[in-house]
Amino acid sequence: LSVKAPLSINNKIEGIIGLAVDITDRKKREEAENKLKMQEELYNIAKYVLHDIAQPVTVLKGYLDLNKSLSGEEKRIFDEVARSIENIADRLLSKYRGGKDAIESHYVLVTWCLERMISQKREQYKGRDIEFKSSLDSANKFVFIRGNFVDFSE
């Protein structure tokens, strides 16, 4: 930060006088405070989103438990979708809390994930004129990635 003013001698401007102050530390402190404030605001938003998502998911899970007309496969798919929504909301909250993701990564079998996602899409678009086919090369049947199902399916 610098301040400059005219230097007068006998009412005649003879030059410029200035003062410079290093405000780097103050700026870093302000940036850190702003970042913390924004993180707190995002955390509060994430908390409300988590609450708003959790309520309908709980109702959905209760409905699935009571509904006897769904097949076992249909219930499994809807339960996975509900669990996936809960995981996404939990991870959102965890991220803005400044913590590590709530879902640990591990080795995931790619073909298994793809088949589950295709199964979900088949159920989602049931009754429509859409056909889902999967053709997986047998040489790649046991390919793993390090991650988690939620990340991979997103």
Side-chain angles (χ1 to χ4, degrees):
L1 176 66
S2 63
V3 179
K4 297 175 187 161
L7 175 64
S8 300
I9 301 177
N10 297 329
N11 290 332
K12 184 177 177 193
I13 297 177
E14 297 289 335
I16 297 175
I17 188 167
L19 174 67
V21 178
D22 184 1
I23 60 168
T24 304
D25 290 339
R26 183 175 84 187
K27 286 294 185 185
K28 285 181 182 177
R29 194 172 44 254
E30 286 173 2
E31 286 175 13
E33 288 170 0
N34 288 338
K35 186 176 180 181
L36 182 61
K37 190 176 184 180
M38 181 176 282
Q39 188 173 1
E40 286 173 3
E41 288 174 15
L42 290 172
Y43 172 71
N44 287 330
I45 291 169
K47 223 170 36 175
Y48 289 116
V49 168
L50 177 62
H51 177 267
D52 289 349
I53 289 173
Q55 226 172 355
V57 169
T58 302
V59 171
L60 173 64
K61 289 171 89 175
Y63 171 77
L64 292 174
D65 287 342
L66 296 173
N67 190 328
K68 304 297 180 206
S69 66
L70 295 174
S71 72
E73 178 67 8
E74 289 170 325
K75 278 188 177 185
R76 184 189 63 75
I77 290 170
F78 283 120
D79 187 54
E80 284 178 13
V81 169
R83 193 171 32 252
S84 178
I85 293 168
E86 287 174 325
N87 288 340
I88 291 166
D90 286 341
R91 290 177 67 212
L92 173 68
L93 186 62
S94 175
K95 178 176 181 170
Y96 290 114
R97 192 182 298 141
K100 190 178 168 192
D101 274 350
I103 299 173
E104 296 293 325
S105 68
H106 53 277
Y107 288 100
V108 177
L109 182 60
V110 175
T111 53
W112 176 79
C113 289
L114 290 172
E115 287 296 337
R116 288 182 66 170
M117 287 185 290
I118 291 169
S119 178
Q120 288 175 356
K121 292 301 174 189
R122 279 189 187 116
E123 192 58 39
Q124 182 180 352
Y125 294 102
K126 189 185 227 177
R128 296 186 187 173
D129 194 21
I130 299 174
E131 185 178 349
F132 291 90
K133 291 183 180 181
S134 62
S135 175
L136 302 169
D137 184 350
S138 61
N140 297 318
K141 207 166 195 145
F142 295 102
V143 172
F144 289 85
I145 59 169
R146 184 145 178 86
N148 62 61
F149 179 72
V150 174
D151 282 344
F152 188 74
S153 60
E154 285 175 10

